[in-house]
Amino acid sequence: MSTRRAQLYLWIVAFAWGSSYLLDQMAIEAGMHSGMINMLRGLFTVLTGVLFFRPAIRQMTKQDLKIGITIGVISFFGYYFQTAALMFTTPAKNAFLTSMYVVIAPFIIWAGYHQAPERKEWIALVIAVIGTGVISNINPFNLTFQAGDLLSLVGAAFWAGQLVLFGKQANRASSPWIIIILIAAVESVLGMLTVFTTEKATLSHINWLLGLPPLAIIAMVITYIGQGLQIISQKHTSATAAGLILMTESLFASLVSILFGVDHLTMNLMIGGALLILANLVMQLDLIHRHRIKS
């Protein structure tokens, strides 16, 4: 695969993940809660995997099982809090706040692997905190933090953990498709437990005809496009290029949400979103070797 084609695939990945926020919002408006969304999305993903990747499943190893279960648990909580946040905030705002996982990840590496953050990572964190305050409408005269904003940030922390573990462990897996299926299976089981322990009362209010189609699209199309192409494409381009492309996920989420009339283009959204994108840019660029920035 050429570098140009790999980067084209990553743009498709960013658009796919960005579009999924609106589809999640549709499932929530149909009366589904986070546990049900996780369960059904995971179930659809597993069924799709069994249908198209059966030969790979037969070659599953114990190492695959360990990696898939570990990342699956973290992914469940990341997706759970991300979708729960959509009950209290908009897709654009949720996407921008979730993008903070890029800033959070180095600090998880610091705590877990004793690799201290670089100076640029401290700078990025400061910019991201300011951006979060702007997009959440926090100021000295309005020191409130909405429930959706907090849930989005909790989800971002779990996505950061998933990013770190995936980077450390995924190269030991025998196949990316096996890992995707295992992650989905764990999400489905944990989602089922959540449904039958905390969401029983909501089941009678679900509009299944409206809720199932967007989840099926997320599972059978976006999940495999997003996770599969990302795993394959990042082997054929630099980490900086991949990061700069994938960080546009939140931008695509906002554009799609505004296009469908869910979000409105406000000054806070533009300024706060621009600051969060700037934080991601600072994370990706080499501030010491400036000639690299120029090239």
Side-chain angles (χ1 to χ4, degrees):
M1 184 186 298
S2 67
T3 300
R4 180 174 295 181
R5 176 169 291 187
Q7 292 180 356
L8 173 62
Y9 287 163
L10 288 172
W11 280 106
I12 295 173
V13 171
F15 177 77
W17 284 125
S19 302
S20 70
Y21 288 86
L22 182 62
L23 295 171
D24 283 329
Q25 183 72 46
M26 293 170 63
I28 289 171
E29 290 176 354
M32 293 183 181
H33 287 243
S34 295
M36 177 63 72
I37 292 173
N38 263 285
M39 184 185 78
L40 293 177
R41 188 181 72 98
L43 182 61
F44 286 146
T45 302
V46 170
L47 292 176
T48 305
V50 171
L51 183 62
F52 291 102
F53 302 104
R54 194 175 301 170
I57 296 175
R58 295 194 187 103
Q59 300 174 5
M60 185 186 305
T61 65
K62 290 183 180 179
Q63 185 72 14
D64 292 336
L65 196 62
K66 180 180 178 181
I67 295 170
I69 291 175
T70 303
I71 298 178
V73 171
I74 295 175
S75 295
F76 168 79
F77 285 107
Y79 200 74
Y80 180 88
F81 286 109
Q82 178 185 317
T83 51
L86 285 169
M87 300 178 68
F88 307 100
T89 189
T90 63
K93 198 173 182 182
N94 180 244
F96 273 126
L97 293 173
T98 300
S99 72
M100 281 194 68
Y101 76 89
V102 179
V103 180
I104 297 171
F107 298 93
I108 294 179
I109 295 174
W110 187 15
Y113 298 93
H114 307 293
Q115 299 175 14
E118 300 176 23
R119 182 173 57 183
K120 67 176 182 180
E121 292 165 347
W122 289 112
I123 296 172
L125 179 62
V126 172
I127 296 172
V129 169
I130 295 172
T132 302
V134 173
I135 205 170
S136 303
N137 197 28
I138 297 174
N139 57 62
F141 306 101
N142 181 25
L143 294 176
T144 59
F145 204 70
Q146 303 299 322
D149 305 332
L150 180 60
L151 290 172
S152 297
L153 291 175
V154 173
F158 278 102
W159 286 129
Q162 186 225 46
L163 180 69
V164 172
L165 278 180
F166 201 82
K168 298 289 185 180
Q169 301 291 333
N171 59 337
R172 303 178 185 177
S174 59
S175 167
W177 313 116
I178 291 178
I179 300 302
I180 292 172
I181 294 168
L182 287 171
I183 291 172
V186 173
E187 290 176 338
S188 181
V189 171
L190 293 178
M192 185 182 302
L193 292 175
T194 305
V195 168
F196 290 107
T197 54
T198 64
E199 298 180 8
K200 280 185 179 180
T202 67
L203 298 180
S204 60
H205 302 290
I206 295 175
N207 186 330
W208 298 99
L209 291 178
L210 291 179
L212 288 176
L215 290 182
I217 293 171
I218 291 174
M220 294 187 286
V221 181
I222 292 178
T223 296
Y224 281 102
I225 289 176
Q227 292 182 336
L229 283 183
Q230 181 179 347
I231 293 169
I232 295 170
S233 300
Q234 281 193 232
K235 298 178 182 178
H236 302 280
T237 187
S238 68
T240 300
L244 288 171
I245 294 171
L246 291 176
M247 55 166 274
T248 59
E249 170 190 329
S250 58
L251 179 61
F252 284 123
S254 298
L255 293 176
V256 170
S257 184
I258 292 169
L259 180 64
F260 282 88
V262 178
D263 270 292
H264 300 287
L265 192 60
T266 64
M267 187 61 67
N268 272 37
L269 180 61
M270 287 191 294
I271 296 175
L275 286 171
L276 286 175
I277 287 179
L278 177 61
N280 283 275
L281 277 170
V282 171
M283 288 286 297
Q284 299 297 334
L285 296 177
D286 188 339
L287 299 181
I288 298 176
H289 301 93
R290 297 185 180 181
H291 65 278
R292 294 184 182 178
I293 299 178
K294 184 177 179 180
S295 65

